[in-house]
């Protein structure tokens, strides 16, 4: 029984580095659609942090930029 427990390997999640921190982006602009569209699904939803891998600071500014771009009609609210 003890040998079986030793054979089981535990998977640990590799910590992702924020892609926006690597690019040294301070603020996200709502007019920068090429960067914003990477974080919007094909249904028009904002991708959560656990899936996108960006830090909390950039997730907040990203959500604000997406909402502003939607309001000005640069991005659609939904793609149905």
């Amino acid at each position: 029984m003890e040998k079986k427990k030793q054979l089981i390997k535990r998977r640990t999640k590799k910590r992702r580095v924020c892609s926006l921190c690597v690019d040294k982006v301070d603020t996200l602009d709502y007019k920068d659609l090429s960067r914003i569209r990477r974080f919007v699904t094909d249904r028009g939803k904002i991708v959560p942090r656990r899936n996108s891998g960006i830090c909390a600071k950039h997730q907040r500014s990203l959500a604000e930029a997406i909402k502003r771009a939607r309001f000005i009609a640069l991005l659609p609210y939904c793609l149905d």
Side-chain angles (χ1 to χ4, degrees), residues 48-63:
R49 258 186 75 204
R50 65 182 175 271
N51 295 349
S52 64
I54 60 175
C55 63
K57 173 186 156 186
H58 284 118
Q59 181 70 22
R60 286 190 298 271
S61 62
L62 174 74

Side-chain angles (χ1 to χ4, degrees), residues 19-27 35 58:
S19 61
L20 299 175
C21 287
V22 170
D23 295 341
K24 296 181 181 177
V25 175
D26 291 330
T27 57
R35 184 165 286 165
H58 284 118

Side-chain angles (χ1 to χ4, degrees), residues 12-72:
T12 57
K13 288 188 177 181
K14 187 177 179 183
R15 183 110 175 142
R16 280 193 252 174
V17 180
C18 176
S19 61
L20 299 175
C21 287
V22 170
D23 295 341
K24 296 181 181 177
V25 175
D26 291 330
T27 57
L28 283 167
D29 193 22
Y30 66 93
K31 295 174 277 188
D32 191 7
L33 295 180
S34 60
R35 184 165 286 165
I36 289 176
R37 282 200 176 129
R38 289 189 341 206
F39 301 103
V40 178
T41 64
D42 57 342
R43 306 283 283 187
K45 295 181 177 182
I46 300 172
V47 177
R49 258 186 75 204
R50 65 182 175 271
N51 295 349
S52 64
I54 60 175
C55 63
K57 173 186 156 186
H58 284 118
Q59 181 70 22
R60 286 190 298 271
S61 62
L62 174 74
E64 187 177 339
I66 290 172
K67 290 172 186 177
R68 284 182 180 173
R70 284 176 178 165
F71 184 74
I72 300 174

